[in-house]
């Protein structure tokens, strides 16, 4: 289906490539050159150079000329802040998630889908307690993360199929594996209201996490609220008995504050 979209006459390939350039940047990067962007995106370097020049001219990228490297620019920051402000649940969720982080001593996260990955868009760190080091802009795979499994489990059938197609086998997410993930995750959502991936399936063994999907009326697909921590802080039993139920309670409180029905009613259809 992705190929069908890209061959549709309405599809703007140049725009899509420009957005791919912006997606190439990671929080840990100290700038990127055209060659690195080309390697990450698969776009020819000659095309990348035109795209980065245009994005820099419009303020979406900064260019440190003496090093010939690009960094996200002020226009991109403004665009992100505008998007955040226009989505009502983001600000409402902040005090709830900070309270949860403080009470549980875990890193609380908000993630959205970004093509074939889950993108961290907000973090809340517990005050006075060391926590796992994940930052806004970090991307997690669908396969092998509680956030990714919760997302796939909460999608309606047609969106699920598209997400799996877009993932293109990333980290072993075959259609068969995706169906197993979805089946297990939906079972957990129906019985407990949250998803905890088996640590044996984690893509990063040193991080445990529990996740709850949230369906906002502002968006066409679910976002994911997550609590994560090191295994010695966030054991499977603690996720199941304490942190998972508290995270679910926070999401339910957010639903009440927004005056909307439970997310469960959406993904059970």
């Amino acid at each position: 289906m992705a190929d069908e979209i890209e061959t549709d006459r309405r599809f703007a390939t140049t725009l899509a490539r420009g957005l791919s350039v912006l997606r190439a940047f990671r929080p840990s990067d100290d700038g990127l050159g055209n060659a690195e962007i080309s390697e990450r995106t698969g776009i020819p370097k000659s095309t990348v150079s035109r795209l980065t020049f245009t994005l820099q001219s419009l303020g979406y990228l900064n260019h440190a000329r003496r090093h010939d490297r690009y960094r996200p620019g002020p226009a991109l920051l403004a665009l992100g802040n505008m998007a955040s402000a226009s989505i009502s649940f983001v600000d409402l969720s902040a005090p709830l998630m900070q309270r949860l982080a403080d009470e549980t001593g875990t890193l609380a996260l908000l993630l959205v889908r970004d093509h074939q990955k889950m993108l961290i868009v907000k973090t809340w760190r517990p005050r006075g307690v060391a926590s796992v080091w994940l930052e806004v802009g970090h991307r997690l795979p669908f396969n092998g993360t509680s956030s990714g499994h919760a997302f796939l489990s909460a999608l309606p059938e047609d969106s699920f199929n598209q997400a799996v197609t877009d993932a293109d086998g990333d980290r072993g997410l075959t259609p068969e594996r995706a169906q197993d993930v979805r089946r297990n995750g939906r079972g957990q959502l129906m019985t407990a209201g949250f998803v905890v991936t088996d640590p044996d399936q984690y893509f990063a063994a040193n991080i445990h996490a529990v996740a709850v999907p949230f369906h906002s009326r502002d968006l066409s697909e679910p976002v994911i609220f997550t609590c994560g921590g090191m295994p010695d802080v966030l054991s499977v039993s603690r996720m199941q008995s304490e942190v998972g139920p508290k995270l679910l309670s926070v999401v339910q409180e957010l639903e009440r504050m927004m005056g909307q029905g439970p997310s469960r009613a959406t993904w059970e259809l």
Side-chain angles (χ1 to χ4, degrees), residues 210-254:
V210 53
V212 174
F214 171 71
H215 287 265
S216 169
R217 291 172 299 192
D218 298 325
L219 303 175
S220 61
E221 61 185 27
V223 301
I224 305 298
F225 287 100
T226 297
C227 286
M230 303 293 285
D232 58 339
V233 172
L234 194 57
S235 64
V236 173
S237 62
R238 187 174 180 231
M239 287 189 283
Q240 296 282 5
S241 64
E242 177 193 350
V243 180
K246 286 186 175 181
L247 177 59
L248 175 61
S249 179
V250 163
V251 172
Q252 290 172 335
E253 185 175 352
L254 178 60

Side-chain angles (χ1 to χ4, degrees), residues 95-110:
L96 304 178
M97 293 299 286
Q98 184 60 60
R99 183 185 70 198
L100 179 65
D102 292 338
E103 288 179 354
T104 60
T106 63
L107 176 66
L109 306 165
L110 171 61

